[in-house]
Amino acid sequence: IRWKKCDIKSVALLPNVLSYQSALEVGFSEFVFIRDGFFTECSHSNIFFVAADTIYTHPESDYILSGITRKNVIRIAQNTGIKVIEEPMHESRTKEITEIFITNTSWEITPVVRLGKSLIGDGKPGPLTRILREKFRAEICMMRGNKGKNI
């Protein structure tokens, strides 16, 4: 139900709101959009997949609303030496996925341990997700002048 210019943030986010509400009603905290078999984005988050120690995320295009947190996570991952490939992940590759995380301004980097009925990895946040969360938080603390203190 998402329209074809997803990169434009406008009042036309009603499909996102309705999809998010549908997810909440059945016990999930986010809704993942799939277009032509490819994961694109979530109702209010960008989505990242880890397979073979490489992070995959849908490239910026008309099919996603790219976020500033997404851009910073990609930068931090690359600066850390983690390989990032911006290409769509097909739903047929879910068996290869060892980690999933989502990003948005409110939740920052949030691990996903279940996709529908499927457990991801061992059901706990994966190592790349944990590394990125730690580096992201450290960067925010330094920018705020907290020098690594909890906020």
Side-chain angles (χ1 to χ4, degrees):
I1 61 173
R2 190 88 157 93
W3 72 316
K4 293 197 184 224
K5 291 294 289 174
C6 302
D7 58 321
I8 298 173
K9 191 170 190 174
S10 70
V11 294
L13 291 173
L14 183 59
N16 297 55
V17 172
L18 293 173
S19 298
Y20 180 63
Q21 184 62 41
S22 295
L24 291 177
E25 288 171 2
V26 294
F28 292 99
S29 38
E30 185 54 290
F31 183 94
V32 181
F33 289 104
I34 299 173
R35 186 184 295 262
D36 300 324
F38 291 95
F39 296 102
T40 55
E41 62 181 348
C42 297
S43 59
H44 66 284
S45 308
N46 292 112
I47 188 164
F48 294 78
F49 304 90
V50 178
D53 294 323
T54 299
I55 296 174
Y56 293 85
T57 191
H58 200 287
E60 289 184 320
S61 69
D62 291 350
Y63 295 140
I64 70 165
L65 179 59
S66 185
I68 190 69
T69 305
R70 175 191 182 276
K71 291 177 185 190
N72 281 307
V73 166
I74 291 171
R75 177 185 51 78
I76 291 168
Q78 291 170 333
N79 289 345
T80 305
I82 300 169
K83 186 175 181 182
V84 178
I85 297 177
E86 292 185 66
E87 70 178 33
M89 174 69 74
H90 196 273
E91 61 184 334
S92 65
R93 294 185 61 196
T94 53
K95 289 188 184 345
E96 300 171 40
I97 298 168
T98 55
E99 298 179 50
I100 299 175
F101 61 90
I102 57 176
T103 63
N104 64 48
T105 302
S106 300
W107 297 350
E108 297 174 347
I109 301 171
T110 303
V112 175
V113 296
R114 196 168 55 125
L115 184 63
K117 295 178 182 176
S118 300
L119 197 62
I120 303 303
D122 61 3
K124 298 177 185 166
L128 293 184
T129 304
R130 289 192 313 267
I131 289 167
L132 290 172
R133 287 178 79 186
E134 179 182 308
K135 292 194 176 291
F136 188 87
R137 294 300 304 151
E139 194 170 291
I140 288 173
C141 288
M142 284 197 342
M143 287 179 359
R144 291 184 177 161
N146 293 317
K147 298 185 176 142
K149 295 179 187 172
N150 290 332
I151 34 178

